[in-house]
């Protein structure tokens, strides 16, 4: 690793030693941060996997129930019922703190389950279908919220990893090499000064 191109002086040596201490301390903190973020990221990935399993399970029930409803009441009646279903929901930004960092996610408030249509010309399968699809909607909004955080957290892990690598592979080795170089130059100068002083002393002694 090439050293920094600076003058080998005592003041620069002190400055580089201070820079080295700061860099090593920063590396330790960033490494701890990276480990925490990775742990949180893995936890959220596991949560995403569980949600994916739940979504698949509800889909496996919702669409067969919809086909059954179509067979019982017919496509026209299903369309009429679907138009009667209220689909009012609220979306708002939600702050989330993970690993000491603040992220922005979304929170979706879905409408309450209720009877949107007359009993006439319907079957219990109608209620079943609506229940399944409202459950599916809730799971999908939860998934959207978590995936937003996962995406941003993954980006933060990448940024932190780049900083860790920069300190570990470039800044710290380069600073160490610079300190080593300045120390060697100053030691050589000190030896030269001692030699000159001895030579002058011997000459004056004669």
């Amino acid at each position: 690793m090439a050293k920094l191109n600076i003058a080998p002086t005592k003041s620069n040596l002190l400055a580089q030693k201070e820079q080295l201490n700061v860099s090593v301390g920063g590396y330790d903190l960033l490494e701890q941060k990276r480990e925490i973020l990775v742990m949180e990221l893995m936890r959220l990935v596991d949560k995403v996997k569980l949600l994916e399993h739940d979504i698949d399970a509800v889909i496996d029930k919702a669409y067969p129930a919809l086909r059954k409803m179509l067979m019982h009441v017919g496509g026209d009646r299903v369309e009429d019922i679907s138009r009667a279903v209220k689909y009012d929901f609220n979306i708002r930004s939600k702050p989330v703190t993970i690993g000491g960092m603040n992220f922005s996610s979304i929170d979706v408030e879905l409408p309450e389950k209720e009877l949107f249509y007359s009993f006439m010309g319907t079957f219990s399968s109608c209620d079943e279908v609506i229940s399944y699809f409202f459950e599916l909607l809730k799971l999908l909004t939860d998934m959207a919220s978590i995936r937003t955080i996962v995406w941003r957290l993954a980006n933060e892990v990448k940024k932190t990893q780049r900083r860790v690598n920069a300190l570990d592979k470039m800044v710290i080795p380069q600073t160490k090499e610079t300190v080593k170089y300045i120390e060697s130059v100053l030691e050589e100068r000190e030896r030269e000064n001692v030699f000159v002083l001895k030579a002058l002393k011997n000459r004056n002694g004669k």
Side-chain angles (χ1 to χ4, degrees):
M1 176 60 65
K3 62 180 177 60
L4 294 170
N5 186 23
I6 60 174
T9 63
K10 288 185 177 180
S11 61
N12 282 340
L13 177 61
L14 292 174
Q16 288 302 302
K17 284 185 175 181
E18 179 65 24
Q19 176 62 42
L20 182 59
N21 288 334
V22 172
S23 298
V24 171
Y27 171 83
D28 292 339
L29 289 174
L30 284 173
E31 182 63 19
Q32 292 175 18
K33 174 184 174 181
R34 186 192 66 82
E35 291 177 358
I36 291 172
L37 292 178
V38 168
M39 289 175 58
E40 291 293 340
L41 181 60
M42 297 307 297
R43 181 182 65 82
L44 289 177
V45 167
D46 288 340
K47 195 169 182 179
V48 167
K49 290 178 179 178
L50 290 174
L51 271 173
E52 287 175 343
H53 178 270
D54 292 342
I55 288 171
D56 289 340
V58 174
I59 287 175
D60 288 342
K61 293 183 291 185
Y63 283 95
L66 177 59
R67 285 194 295 269
K68 181 180 177 182
M69 178 180 175
L70 285 167
M71 291 175 60
H72 283 168
V73 302
D76 292 340
R77 181 56 181 153
V78 169
E79 188 173 347
D80 291 339
I81 293 172
S82 67
R83 283 196 292 265
V85 175
K86 294 180 181 178
Y87 194 65
D88 297 328
F89 59 92
N90 295 317
I91 298 180
R92 62 177 179 271
S93 177
K94 177 179 65 175
V96 178
T97 301
I98 298 177
M101 301 191 63
N102 295 322
F103 297 91
S104 180
S105 183
I106 57 172
D107 190 29
V108 181
E109 183 181 346
L110 299 176
E112 296 291 333
K113 294 179 184 179
E114 58 180 289
L115 185 63
F116 299 105
Y117 47 86
S118 168
F119 283 113
M120 298 296 294
T122 63
F123 295 86
S124 61
S125 59
C126 299
D127 296 336
E128 191 176 54
V129 168
I130 291 176
S131 177
Y132 283 145
F133 277 93
F134 265 78
E135 183 180 356
L136 180 60
L137 181 60
K138 179 64 171 68
L139 290 172
L140 290 173
T141 54
D142 289 344
M143 176 68 82
S145 176
I146 293 176
R147 280 190 179 276
T148 301
I149 299 174
V150 167
W151 180 76
R152 292 176 179 170
L153 191 57
N155 282 338
E156 192 61 38
V157 169
K158 289 179 182 178
K159 285 168 55 179
T160 304
Q161 185 63 60
R162 284 196 296 268
R163 292 170 183 166
V164 168
N165 289 341
L167 287 171
D168 185 43
K169 305 299 183 184
M170 186 174 68
V171 175
I172 292 176
Q174 191 175 53
T175 307
K176 284 182 177 179
E177 192 66 25
T178 303
V179 168
K180 183 179 177 181
Y181 164 72
I182 295 176
E183 286 178 338
S184 68
V185 171
L186 292 178
E187 287 171 2
E188 181 63 26
R189 287 177 181 172
E190 186 67 25
R191 285 193 294 268
E192 290 176 356
N193 290 337
V194 171
F195 177 78
V196 170
L197 288 173
K198 284 184 178 180
L200 290 173
K201 184 177 181 182
N202 291 335
R203 179 180 299 178
N204 293 332
K206 293 180 180 179

